[in-house]
Amino acid sequence: MRPSSLFTIVLAAVLVSADRLTFRGCQDKVKESLVSPPRGWVQHAPAPQDQIIRLKIALAQPSFGELEEHLLASSDPAHERYGMHLSKEDAHTLMAPSQDSIDIVSEWLSEHGIGEEYLHRSAAKDWITIHVPVSLAEDMFNTQFHVYKHVESGDTFIRTTQYSLPSVLHDHVDLVQPTTMYARFKPMSNTLHFMGGITQEFEFSAVTGSITGPAGNAINATCNYEITLDCLRELYNVGSYTPSGTSGNKLGITGYLDEYANFEDFQNFMKLENPAAVGSNFSVIAINGGQNNQTLSAAGLEANLDVQFAFGMTHPTPGTFYTTGGAPPYTPDKMEPTNTNEPYLDWLDYIMNQTDIPQTISTSYGDNEQTVPPSYADRVCKGFAALGSRGISILFSSGDGGVGDNDEDPSTTNCTANNGTDATTFLPSFPASCPYVTSVGATVNVPEVAANFSGGGFSNYFARPSYQDSVVKGYLSSIGSEYAGLYNSTGRAYPDVSAQGVNYVIMYRGAPTNVSGTSCSSPAFASLVSMLNDARLQANMSTLGFLNPLLYSRGVAALNDITEGSNPGCGTKGFKATKGWDPVTGLGTPNFGKLKDLVLGNSTQ
């Protein structure tokens, strides 16, 4: 993980609190601190002392390097251990803290009156969750909490700009959050675009009849301005392939922030798009108080889009929708845990303790990377690595702000660093920037070009992984000094791949609706990955797991290179799509027929 411009992560005795002796006679030292709250957040009021807050403590993971080595080996098609995934128990062993860390942190908590009966430990014992009043949290972490308000949305959180730990704990605790985390982790549907209200302009030709797709097959010309299941099958060369439904393969979709996938809309979508699937349904698993409101007026645009296209494409593959606890506004008069807004940790805590997990999982949520503490981003990213080591393919939308924030108008220049300098900078998205997930950008039209909202760029937190070195260096060489200083040329580059992202036809609250965004692209690409896993399972082969080492090596020959378009933002024209990998469409869009031959070992490429 790269050092953050937002935080000072103190690993040695650099900053010492005012002569306060605490646990084992040690002085407190600042663990993490902010220069100031991120842009758009203001201090609203002191946090009520008796308000209960939920905090998560991450213990150090001394064996993660071994897990990462296994992940990369099992994901590299040229490696002798390709496809040899870890069991749940093996992954937990490599994620676990040392017994010394468990013991000393337990002792410290007990000193503050927090015994084992008040703790929740994650499956690998690497996370501890506590519920404490603000007054106790302020004493434990030698800080002051305040209510902070997000000016644009009105969201309110209890947060601080600095917290400390006894020096003896610094090697044992990686982070405590949410303390200095101001990320809102919004759905990418913030910029899903309804027809008639779309902010980006696209030109659609008035061609009738059929047009030729990248695989040389005929595609209905209506796919040039409206995307259906048949369009994706034709465009991405699915042909007559139908999953078995009994291979043991499953597909998962995650939902957060009170986004509900509606059963009635799902059935009406299938009547229009896939009559063979009428009467089928998907499973719903609730996590951390997640709800399953089936009132039609409560149907979520994001949730409906994801389940309709992902499960519609892959029928009869069993589908699971995860609904993870909502994010209500903070209300001081209700003595309940505040909105912690850490959905990935809640979901990871649950999913990592399951034995039967869908082999492909798509998520369409994220936020501006710089609003996420780098320590938090690192640990969440390691959770995705652990899932990949178990043979799970994790896909994320790349974001809808081009090279800027998802909230930004591409015509503005309000893209500033949150390090006190207010310097203009491109704004990468997280978790799309995590090197252990597959990030999916967006295209439009046939022939395909980059959708101009497609999120892409370079992480400021994560270094570029070796599997990207060749193609990314080639791209950087081609653009020379363009945008120098606005992005981190050594960072993890994204997206990895792309898929259609404009004008998907879904059913929403009883009526057809057209929507756009990389929220469309990720479940579309994930549905094809799910079918590839089905094909491998039918052939008694392992699942694909972490996709990127395959995609960046042999897989690139089975993708359609996108060479036109760009992703403007931050007052610039953004990066350009070009031959080979680019930070707009990645390596390109899928050719399922070629990918299937490749993963089954039938490819001559």
Side-chain angles (χ1 to χ4, degrees), residues 257-322:
L257 312 180
D258 297 330
E259 276 279 337
Y260 307 120
N262 187 264
F263 297 150
E264 181 179 341
D265 279 340
F266 184 78
Q267 294 301 322
N268 287 331
F269 176 84
M270 294 307 167
K271 288 177 184 177
L272 292 174
E273 298 272 353
N274 189 353
V278 173
S280 67
N281 212 337
F282 52 90
S283 301
V284 176
I285 294 178
I287 300 170
N288 191 40
Q291 302 297 309
N292 183 26
N293 189 341
Q294 287 300 307
T295 305
L296 192 60
S297 61
L301 189 70
E302 179 72 69
N304 272 11
L305 162 68
D306 290 351
V307 301
Q308 288 171 21
F309 267 84
F311 301 152
M313 283 287 290
T314 58
H315 175 77
T317 298
T320 300
F321 178 73
Y322 297 96

Side-chain angles (χ1 to χ4, degrees), residues 513-556:
T513 301
N514 287 59
V515 295
S516 302
T518 54
S519 283
C520 303
S521 310
S522 184
F525 200 100
S527 68
L528 301 185
V529 173
S530 179
M531 288 191 281
L532 295 175
N533 276 326
D534 173 77
R536 283 179 62 90
L537 288 170
Q538 288 192 67
N540 295 316
M541 302 170 74
S542 64
T543 55
L544 293 169
F546 179 41
L547 299 170
N548 293 3
L550 169 67
L551 293 172
Y552 281 88
S553 56
R554 300 174 185 177
V556 68

Side-chain angles (χ1 to χ4, degrees), residues 243-249 316 318 534:
S244 71
T246 59
S247 64
N249 188 47
D534 173 77

Side-chain angles (χ1 to χ4, degrees), residues 442-567:
T443 60
V444 62
N445 292 346
V446 183
E448 291 180 278
V449 300
N452 60 11
F453 56 78
S454 184
F458 301 83
S459 173
N460 290 318
Y461 288 178
F462 300 101
R464 182 171 62 238
S466 60
Y467 61 75
Q468 287 193 315
D469 272 343
S470 176
V471 295
V472 174
K473 286 180 180 178
Y475 181 83
L476 292 174
S477 177
S478 73
I479 65 172
S481 61
E482 186 176 26
Y483 303 138
L486 294 179
Y487 69 95
N488 173 27
S489 62
T490 63
R492 186 295 206 243
Y494 75 99
D496 302 299
V497 291
S498 51
Q500 285 280 321
V502 176
N503 290 347
Y504 277 48
V505 182
I506 70 167
M507 290 297 296
Y508 177 61
R509 299 183 179 179
T513 301
N514 287 59
V515 295
S516 302
T518 54
S519 283
C520 303
S521 310
S522 184
F525 200 100
S527 68
L528 301 185
V529 173
S530 179
M531 288 191 281
L532 295 175
N533 276 326
D534 173 77
R536 283 179 62 90
L537 288 170
Q538 288 192 67
N540 295 316
M541 302 170 74
S542 64
T543 55
L544 293 169
F546 179 41
L547 299 170
N548 293 3
L550 169 67
L551 293 172
Y552 281 88
S553 56
R554 300 174 185 177
V556 68
L559 299 170
N560 309 310
D561 192 13
I562 310 302
T563 60
E564 295 185 22
S566 64
N567 57 353

Side-chain angles (χ1 to χ4, degrees), residues 49 51 53 55 130 132-145 163-164:
Q49 292 292 288
Q51 177 69 31
I53 57 176
L55 297 173
I130 60 175
V132 294
V134 165
S135 58
L136 178 56
E138 290 184 340
D139 180 62
M140 292 173 68
F141 303 108
N142 194 15
T143 189
Q144 288 186 319
F145 285 92
Y163 70 92
S164 299

Side-chain angles (χ1 to χ4, degrees), residues 394-433:
I394 305 293
L395 297 94
F396 272 88
S397 299
S398 71
D400 290 3
V403 295
D405 191 341
N406 288 325
D407 285 340
E408 297 293 341
D409 181 335
S411 65
T412 71
T413 59
N414 192 17
C415 291
T416 56
N418 282 331
N419 59 2
T421 67
D422 287 334
T424 300
T425 184
F426 290 167
L427 300 174
S429 178
F430 178 80
S433 63

Side-chain angles (χ1 to χ4, degrees), residues 309-356:
F309 267 84
F311 301 152
M313 283 287 290
T314 58
H315 175 77
T317 298
T320 300
F321 178 73
Y322 297 96
T323 173
T324 302
Y330 165 71
T331 50
D333 58 329
K334 295 181 179 179
M335 290 306 151
E336 300 172 354
T338 65
N339 167 26
T340 59
N341 205 37
E342 48 184 10
Y344 302 124
L345 284 183
D346 290 331
W347 181 78
L348 280 168
D349 188 14
Y350 170 85
I351 206 74
M352 287 300 298
N353 200 30
Q354 306 306 304
T355 301
D356 187 13

